[in-house]
Amino acid sequence: MPSSNRTGSYYMLLSVICFSMMDILVKLTTKDYPIGEIAFFRGLFGLIPIFFLIPKNKIFTFFKTDKPTLHFVRAFAGTFAMISTFIGVKYMQLADVVSIAQATPVFVTIFSIIFLKEVVGYRRWLSVIAGLIGVLFITKPGTSVFNVYSIFPIFFCIGFSIVAVSIKRLSKTEPDYLIAFYFTALLIIVSSTAFFFEEWKMPNILDFFYLFMIGICGSIANLFMTTAYRKADASLITPLKYLSVLSAIVFGYLIFYEIPSVTTIIGAIIIIISTFVIFKREQVKNKNS
């Protein structure tokens, strides 16, 4: 494995660990605090790691960019995706939310077919169909156990699909801290408007620590993920994200006493296999192009 791919793999693994910690803390705090307040603190405290990365000679000019529109698209999609997953974590089992979130590559492929008129072979078509079937296994629409909040992890997949494409384009010219800064700034602005619709609570010392760590873990996870995609082949490092499913199952059981259903496990396996095939086919296509 080339050294850059190895380094990228390490960053992706660290990203998965930090995202898993953030999800657990969000699950703990959504019982007592509104989503908007949690998202606000995620953004506010998330600025701290970002400012440590800004070069001293650019401290007053770091925000300048020639691609404001693309930054806005990435920031808006990221905000939409993050708030959607927070809602999902609040009302669903952790394993269900994280498993559905793995279907992001399926939606990326669908959007490529619809909007970019990309020609897709039968293997990727079958993988897309399999991935959607996996989502159906987990959400179980039309049954008595269907959770209406299952739509929010799907919203996450849609938003994160746009984020992934935007980051790939932005990372060619824009530094990691700038990409993260504009996303975090917009998250703060959008989430602060929830103050007018939700009754915010003053957190106690322990909960304040949880909210602080949500911001730190989430921000560091985003930075690690951006660096991972910059340094390594996406098809190589993205499968490492599947470890988050195992983490969600283990910690969901140990901390929240959640036992994933058989259909959730089957659906997660189907989604993981389908997205793995999509990435392998993308790798083959890039080699032949």
Side-chain angles (χ1 to χ4, degrees):
M1 182 188 297
S3 59
S4 60
N5 282 336
R6 185 180 294 111
T7 302
S9 298
Y10 293 149
Y11 275 110
M12 180 57 77
L13 183 59
L14 290 171
S15 175
V16 168
I17 293 172
C18 290
F19 273 130
S20 297
M21 291 176 62
M22 183 189 74
D23 289 341
I24 292 168
L25 292 170
V26 169
K27 186 79 172 175
L28 286 170
T29 52
T30 50
K31 295 184 298 182
D32 302 308
Y33 297 91
I35 298 293
E37 183 173 356
I38 296 172
F40 174 80
F41 282 113
R42 157 63 184 91
L44 183 65
F45 294 128
L47 287 173
I48 297 173
I50 296 172
F51 281 119
F52 274 104
L53 296 178
I54 299 173
K56 293 182 179 180
N57 62 331
K58 294 185 178 181
I59 194 65
F60 297 110
T61 59
F62 75 92
F63 51 84
K64 293 184 177 180
T65 178
D66 295 326
K67 298 181 178 179
T69 302
L70 192 54
H71 273 291
F72 176 79
V73 170
R74 182 267 181 266
F76 182 82
T79 299
F80 175 76
M82 179 162 291
I83 292 176
S84 295
T85 197
F86 281 10
I87 295 173
V89 167
K90 179 180 176 68
Y91 295 105
M92 297 172 63
Q93 287 196 2
L94 199 58
D96 288 0
V97 176
V98 175
S99 296
I100 295 173
Q102 304 308 308
T104 298
V106 173
F107 288 88
V108 171
T109 303
I110 292 173
F111 293 154
S112 298
I113 295 170
I114 296 174
F115 298 110
L116 303 179
K117 309 301 180 183
E118 184 175 328
V119 178
V120 175
Y122 75 91
R123 292 185 183 87
R124 289 176 70 188
W125 267 115
L126 290 175
S127 298
V128 167
I129 295 171
L132 294 176
I133 290 174
V135 171
L136 293 176
F137 261 92
I138 298 172
T139 58
K140 297 177 280 290
T143 68
S144 59
V145 293
F146 172 69
N147 186 340
V148 67
Y149 291 101
S150 298
I151 192 68
F152 286 97
I154 297 176
F155 285 160
F156 166 82
C157 290
I158 294 172
F160 195 77
S161 299
I162 299 171
V163 168
V165 174
S166 301
I167 287 179
K168 199 65 179 176
R169 292 179 60 185
L170 284 168
S171 62
K172 294 178 180 178
T173 58
E174 306 289 272
D176 294 348
Y177 62 79
L178 189 59
I179 298 173
F181 170 77
Y182 279 114
F183 157 64
T184 306
L186 186 64
L187 176 63
I188 293 172
I189 294 171
V190 172
S191 60
S192 64
T193 61
F195 176 81
F196 300 102
F197 308 101
E198 299 176 318
E199 183 178 353
W200 286 27
K201 294 174 57 178
M202 178 63 68
N204 57 41
I205 295 176
L206 179 61
D207 290 339
F208 186 82
F209 174 74
Y210 286 162
L211 293 169
F212 174 79
M213 289 306 299
I214 286 172
I216 298 297
C217 290
S219 185
I220 291 176
N222 263 316
L223 290 167
F224 281 156
M225 181 183 65
T226 302
T227 304
Y229 279 116
R230 186 193 298 274
K231 289 183 174 293
D233 296 333
S235 57
L236 177 67
I237 61 174
T238 298
L240 290 172
K241 292 172 62 180
Y242 302 150
L243 293 173
S244 61
V245 177
L246 178 61
S247 171
I249 292 174
V250 171
F251 288 110
Y253 174 75
L254 293 176
I255 299 175
F256 306 106
Y257 309 105
E258 298 174 345
I259 301 176
S261 64
V262 174
T263 52
T264 292
I265 294 175
I266 293 174
I269 292 172
I270 294 173
I271 290 172
I272 288 173
I273 293 174
S274 68
T275 55
F276 180 77
V277 172
I278 287 173
F279 277 111
K280 293 302 292 184
R281 296 310 303 171
E282 184 69 22
Q283 191 176 31
V284 171
K285 186 189 75 171
N286 290 337
K287 285 183 178 179
N288 294 334
S289 60

